Amino acid sequence: MTGTDNVVWLGAPAFPDAARAALADTRLRVNLRRATTTIRDRRLAVTAELDDWEQLREAGEAVRRRTLRHLDHHLVRLEESVAKAGGQVHWAADADEANRIVTDLVRATGEAEVLKVKSMATQEIGLNEALEAAGIRAYETDLAELIVQLGEDRPSHILVPAIHRGRSEIRDIFRREMGKWGRAAPAGLTDDPRELAEAARLHLREKFLRARVAVSGANFAAADTGTVCVVESEGNGRMCLTLPDTFITVMGVEKVLPSFADLDVFLQLLPRSSTGERMNPYTSMWTGVTPGDGPQEFHLVLLDNGRTATLGDTVGRQALACIRCSACLNVCPVYERTGGHAYGSVYPGPIGAVLTPQLVGVEHADTLPFASTLCGACYDACPVRIDIPEILVHLRAKAVEAKAAERLVPTAESLVMRVAAAVLRSPGRLTLAQRAGGLTARLLFRRGRIGRLPGPLGRWSDTRDTPVPPRESFRGWWRRTREGGEG
């Protein structure tokens, strides 16, 4: 498998087709609306408590953008710091190389099982599938990831991968599948959240005590100390960090921070933006290895997989500043109605619509930049002020240009756009066009409305009211009233 295959799910339909199917799923829409509304309201409440919330956002933006400008320097420094603390750093250019590195590290221990801490990076590279092909079984320990794994499903949200599942569905999955992976669900399991959580605890406990190897992602890594940080809500990450003998972290190269002190900003921004909490219940940090305490081998796999290429785009590189809080998903009107599976990618929602096309190439995900209303809610919610609408427009232009380059004959739409561009570039031509539009309005549209437009334009008028051109343009009115002595 290539990096493209892993980031974008093989066989996934284009967003318009997948979204159409999702919109017909009433249960999915109810689950999404309830979950995103709850998280959104909680986020608004806790961010309103801070008088300096906007200053924190600006600080986070400044650190992330400055880091990306000098990413090579910070990564080399991180490697040196991790090595000095007793860890080992491995560089992976793409998904295949990252999977090979992790597989070889696990094989070297002689183990055939690994515990997993929730990680977008390992989902991105398809690590579980790669380990399975090598005869190694990976067990997800995050509750939502466990639900997804047992249900042979795909994650649909960055923070809550099983957000599309209701309680009764989760109960049925636990009853049906838990016994195949280890300890079976208790007899008579109901859909009460406490019972479901306890069933997951019992199922995972024996794995925590038995496993000798664990794999995680990372939220941040400090270049000056070599410290890696994971934040989570259930304690499963803490168990994976402390109990196994060998600990492997797969981290996108963009997650590095210049200094340990920078965590002060992001450990305030992340929990409020993601779960609507003042702080994460579990914030785990580790620096290399400590003799006699915790894992005695630590490996940090630094993953590129399209990130360096993304850095070369001065507009699109903003997406690499993402701290994976999912705030943009929870406010997006498109995501709330379609869910994450419609995006056909590990990264759903607004951030996925701008990140995925850059990681895999716009030609492999050309519909995602159009999966947005450009309402700007994602930009308002983003804790590090990524201008997602700006990147969406930028990538839409790239997608259109890529398609145009493949065609020998321009489409009717492109011809119309060329004519429009020529008119808008010239004040004289624009004035003539406005006068012609006003004359047409007086002659043809006396009732004040336009019906169905002909040909391809009918797709517009079938779903929108087409405004009648005004009889007089603003520029014409301004010139006339000023000459008449008004204003």
Side-chain angles (χ1 to χ4, degrees), residues 451-465:
R452 191 177 193 279
L453 295 173
L457 297 177
R459 296 177 62 184
W460 171 278
S461 58
D462 285 346
T463 55
R464 301 169 179 85
D465 291 330

Side-chain angles (χ1 to χ4, degrees), residues 23-177:
L23 289 171
D25 188 336
T26 305
R27 173 184 284 186
L28 172 68
R29 295 183 64 177
V30 169
N31 291 344
L32 287 170
R33 184 169 58 253
R34 181 186 301 116
T36 55
T37 300
T38 299
I39 299 172
R40 184 166 64 239
D41 291 345
R42 289 172 60 182
R43 182 188 69 84
L44 288 172
V46 296
T47 57
E49 295 175 351
L50 298 181
D51 294 334
D52 63 346
W53 176 249
E54 288 306 315
Q55 287 74 24
L56 274 172
R57 291 181 69 208
E58 291 171 0
E61 176 190 23
V63 172
R64 297 300 291 133
R65 294 205 178 196
R66 187 169 64 249
T67 303
L68 292 174
R69 285 198 298 269
H70 306 285
L71 188 59
D72 54 345
H73 167 74
H74 297 305
L75 288 172
V76 171
R77 193 179 182 200
L78 175 64
E79 180 182 30
E80 294 171 349
S81 298
V82 170
K84 185 177 180 180
Q88 299 180 51
V89 174
H90 310 263
W91 298 83
D94 55 25
D96 291 335
E97 187 172 9
N99 286 331
R100 178 183 57 76
I101 291 169
V102 176
T103 300
D104 290 346
L105 289 173
V106 177
R107 280 175 170 166
T109 68
E111 296 292 324
E113 296 179 343
V114 300
L115 294 182
K116 288 281 302 305
V117 184
K118 182 178 182 298
S119 164
M120 299 296 293
T122 59
Q123 290 171 2
E124 175 187 328
I125 64 177
L127 178 62
N128 287 9
E129 293 79 3
L131 290 174
E132 183 178 2
I136 301 167
R137 196 165 208 187
Y139 296 102
E140 297 290 350
T141 62
D142 175 84
L143 176 57
E145 289 288 354
L146 175 65
I147 295 166
V148 169
Q149 184 177 50
L150 293 179
E152 297 182 348
D153 202 351
R154 296 281 192 179
S156 63
H157 191 277
I158 290 175
L159 179 68
V160 194
I163 196 172
H164 56 290
R165 295 290 194 184
R167 292 185 300 175
S168 60
E169 293 177 283
I170 296 170
R171 175 203 60 205
D172 294 341
I173 291 172
F174 280 8
R175 286 176 174 177
R176 184 177 65 249
E177 301 295 334

Side-chain angles (χ1 to χ4, degrees), residues 95-427:
D96 291 335
E97 187 172 9
N99 286 331
R100 178 183 57 76
I101 291 169
V102 176
T103 300
D104 290 346
L105 289 173
V106 177
R107 280 175 170 166
T109 68
E111 296 292 324
E113 296 179 343
V114 300
L115 294 182
K116 288 281 302 305
V117 184
K118 182 178 182 298
S119 164
M120 299 296 293
T122 59
Q123 290 171 2
E124 175 187 328
I125 64 177
L127 178 62
N128 287 9
E129 293 79 3
L131 290 174
E132 183 178 2
I136 301 167
R137 196 165 208 187
Y139 296 102
E140 297 290 350
T141 62
D142 175 84
L143 176 57
E145 289 288 354
L146 175 65
I147 295 166
V148 169
Q149 184 177 50
L150 293 179
E152 297 182 348
D153 202 351
R154 296 281 192 179
S156 63
H157 191 277
I158 290 175
L159 179 68
V160 194
I163 196 172
H164 56 290
R165 295 290 194 184
R167 292 185 300 175
S168 60
E169 293 177 283
I170 296 170
R171 175 203 60 205
D172 294 341
I173 291 172
F174 280 8
R175 286 176 174 177
R176 184 177 65 249
E177 301 295 334
M178 267 188 170
K180 301 175 185 178
W181 289 78
R183 180 168 179 164
L189 178 68
T190 72
D191 63 0
D192 181 87
R194 288 172 294 184
E195 289 192 31
L196 296 174
E198 182 62 19
R201 289 191 193 98
L202 295 173
H203 176 78
L204 291 171
R205 189 164 296 160
E206 62 178 4
K207 293 180 171 54
F208 286 133
L209 296 174
R210 184 178 69 230
R212 303 270 65 86
V213 183
V215 178
S216 82
N219 291 101
F220 309 105
D224 61 342
T225 63
T227 303
V228 184
C229 175
V230 161
V231 296
E232 37 108 6
S233 300
E234 300 164 15
N236 60 298
R238 183 71 54 82
M239 299 285 279
C240 293
L241 170 63
T242 55
L243 294 176
D245 300 321
T246 300
F247 194 62
I248 304 167
T249 296
V250 181
M251 184 186 91
V253 293
E254 80 281 11
K255 295 295 187 70
V256 65
L257 296 175
S259 72
F260 187 86
D262 292 322
L263 288 170
D264 174 53
V265 173
F266 295 100
L267 292 183
Q268 294 183 74
L269 288 172
L270 182 56
R272 285 178 167 84
S273 299
S274 57
T275 57
E277 297 172 293
R278 297 177 184 87
M279 64 181 294
N280 286 95
Y282 294 89
T283 299
S284 300
M285 302 183 192
W286 60 98
T287 306
V289 297
T290 302
D293 183 14
Q296 296 303 289
E297 283 191 39
F298 170 57
H299 301 271
L300 177 61
V301 181
L302 294 174
L303 175 69
D304 187 324
N305 206 38
R307 288 160 173 79
T308 298
T310 303
L311 274 175
D313 188 327
T314 55
V315 175
R317 71 170 61 151
Q318 297 177 67
L320 294 178
C322 174
I323 59 174
R324 307 291 191 270
C325 69
S326 75
C328 62
L329 281 70
N330 299 325
V331 299
C332 178
V334 176
Y335 175 86
E336 184 180 297
R337 287 157 178 79
T338 64
H341 291 163
Y343 292 81
S345 167
V346 169
Y347 301 107
I351 190 61
V354 297
L355 184 59
T356 299
Q358 295 188 91
L359 293 181
V360 306
V362 174
E363 66 276 11
H364 297 294
D366 59 353
T367 62
L368 288 185
F370 297 89
S372 170
T373 64
L374 297 181
C375 67
C378 50
Y379 179 41
D380 292 338
C382 178
V384 290
R385 293 168 48 87
I386 299 171
D387 194 342
I388 294 178
E390 178 187 32
I391 310 174
L392 285 167
V393 173
H394 173 67
L395 294 177
R396 288 181 183 187
K398 281 193 169 186
V400 171
E401 291 166 2
K403 285 187 176 181
E406 296 174 357
R407 295 190 181 97
L408 297 176
V409 179
T411 63
E413 181 184 19
S414 66
L415 290 175
V416 170
M417 289 298 108
R418 289 181 188 179
V419 171
V423 170
L424 294 173
R425 277 197 300 264
S426 168

